[in-house]
């Protein structure tokens, strides 16, 4: 039999490690590489920085292949229908739901509970069969706006892909149900993103209503760990206001409103975007000094690299 070269062995190892939780791997990588090198009888153990880069590349390749391509075509996880008037992608996990037509779905905005009514997007909570859902409609404001959007990926499609991206990476988000886009002569028009309704308070409401010190401390820690996972994964949310973070009964934070989320390849660009996320998030607590300082203390402990915290002026 042929013995694997060191390069091939590290490539295979990196593929395996890319499936691990990114925060756990960050803490355990050195020990894992030492154990692997010892098992293979290597005199020099693998370089952690080199393996970390290969793991990151393997993880990004897998998530891009799935979240940017696979969930937009017919596959085990998604059922796709496309014609001259509509494109739809429906999660197989919700195949039992009656996905409405365009006329019916617009009717949901009258019958449902309106959450947001803006020029560019309208959001409502509605009932589909036995399921409570959130429907986000991305509106076309006029001819020129429609023309500018017709050839580009819709924000609904970005939300759809990003929800699957987070799920694949093991990060909590509202489960994606469907992507629906109107089409005219092949051009994109209004677009809709349907997601499972998360019956939980947003983070600002949670902290204003919860006095339990242990629960508050747990949510602070879990939220900071979420931020560090995003940092390690080179993912920026793009709008880290408190209303875009829900808090489940077990304290786990859930990310919603994903149409601005982006995963980067370059570390410099990723860190710049992450710093913006940090700054926006900490603005939520600027009038609550004790909570603000609680986050600062945990950020300092959880982040091995303090550079983004210093750039965001969380630490000096």
């Amino acid at each position: 039999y042929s013995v694997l070269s060191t390069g091939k062995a590290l490539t295979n190892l990196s593929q395996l490690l890319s499936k691990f939780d990114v925060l756990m791997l960050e803490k355990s990588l050195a020990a894992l590489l030492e154990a692997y090198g010892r098992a293979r009888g290597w005199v020099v153990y693998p370089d952690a920085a080199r393996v970390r880069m290969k793991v990151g590349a393997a993880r990004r390749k897998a998530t891009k292949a799935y979240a940017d391509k696979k969930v937009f075509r017919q596959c085990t996880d998604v059922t796709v229908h496309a014609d001259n008037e509509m494109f739809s992608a429906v999660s197989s996990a919700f195949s039992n739901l009656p996905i409405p037509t365009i006329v019916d779905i617009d009717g949901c905005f009258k019958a449902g509970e309106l959450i947001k009514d803006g020029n560019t997007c309208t959001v409502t909570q509605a009932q589909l069969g036995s399921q409570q859902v959130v429907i986000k409609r991305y509106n076309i404001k006029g001819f020129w706006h429609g023309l500018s959007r017709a050839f580009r990926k819709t924000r609904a499609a970005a939300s759809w892909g990003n929800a699957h991206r987070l799920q694949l990476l093991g990060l909590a988000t509202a489960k994606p149900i469907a992507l629906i886009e109107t089409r005219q002569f092949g051009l994109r028009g209004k677009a809709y993103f349907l997601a499972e309704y998360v019956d939980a308070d947003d983070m600002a409401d949670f902290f204003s209503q919860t006095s339990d010190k242990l629960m508050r401390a747990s949510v602070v820690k879990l939220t900071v760990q979420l931020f560090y996972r995003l940092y390690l994964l080179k993912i920026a949310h793009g709008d880290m206001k408190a209303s875009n973070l829900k808090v489940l009964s077990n304290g786990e934070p859930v990310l919603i409103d994903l149409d601005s989320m982006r995963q980067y390849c370059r570390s410099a660009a990723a860190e710049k975007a992450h710093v913006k996320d940090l700054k926006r998030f900490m603005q939520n607590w600027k009038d609550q000094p004790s909570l603000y300082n609680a986050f600062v203390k945990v950020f300092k402990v959880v982040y091995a690299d303090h550079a983004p915290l210093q750039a965001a002026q969380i630490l000096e």
Side-chain angles (χ1 to χ4, degrees), residues 135-204:
I135 305 173
K136 193 168 186 178
R137 180 180 66 200
Y138 296 87
N139 304 314
I140 301 299
K141 293 185 291 186
F143 175 78
W144 293 112
H145 181 238
L147 188 63
S148 71
R149 301 298 311 183
F151 300 96
R152 289 185 286 164
K153 184 178 184 179
T154 65
R155 291 169 66 196
S159 293
W160 172 255
N162 282 330
H164 283 91
R165 187 186 313 277
L166 291 183
Q167 284 195 321
L168 185 67
L169 294 169
L171 303 182
T173 191
K175 294 178 182 178
I177 295 175
L179 163 67
I180 300 174
E181 297 175 341
T182 60
R183 298 287 173 90
Q184 189 171 13
F185 306 112
L187 303 179
R188 298 173 178 86
K190 285 191 299 185
Y192 306 78
F193 173 59
L194 283 68
E196 183 180 42
Y197 172 68
V198 179
D199 187 11
D201 290 332
D202 69 34
M203 192 162 284

Side-chain angles (χ1 to χ4, degrees), residues 201-207 210 212-227 245-254 281 285 291 294-295 298-299 302:
D201 290 332
D202 69 34
M203 192 162 284
D205 288 340
F206 167 82
F207 281 118
T210 304
D212 185 321
K213 292 182 179 180
L214 289 178
M215 188 63 176
R216 289 170 68 91
S218 176
V219 171
V220 168
K221 182 177 180 180
L222 289 171
T223 303
V224 172
Q225 288 177 337
L226 169 62
F227 267 85
L245 285 154
K246 297 280 190 176
V247 180
L248 299 181
S249 59
N250 64 358
E252 183 178 21
V254 178
F281 177 73
W285 326 116
L291 182 56
F295 273 111
V298 180
F299 270 117
V302 170

Side-chain angles (χ1 to χ4, degrees), residues 14 17 22 25-30 33 47-60 228 232 234:
S14 299
L17 295 178
V22 67
L25 186 62
E26 180 72 8
K27 295 176 180 177
S28 307
L29 183 59
L33 293 180
D47 177 65
R50 179 187 177 191
V51 173
R52 191 176 286 110
M53 289 181 62
K54 291 173 77 68
V55 169
R59 187 185 287 114
R60 285 191 298 276
Y228 196 42
L232 295 173
K234 293 186 171 65

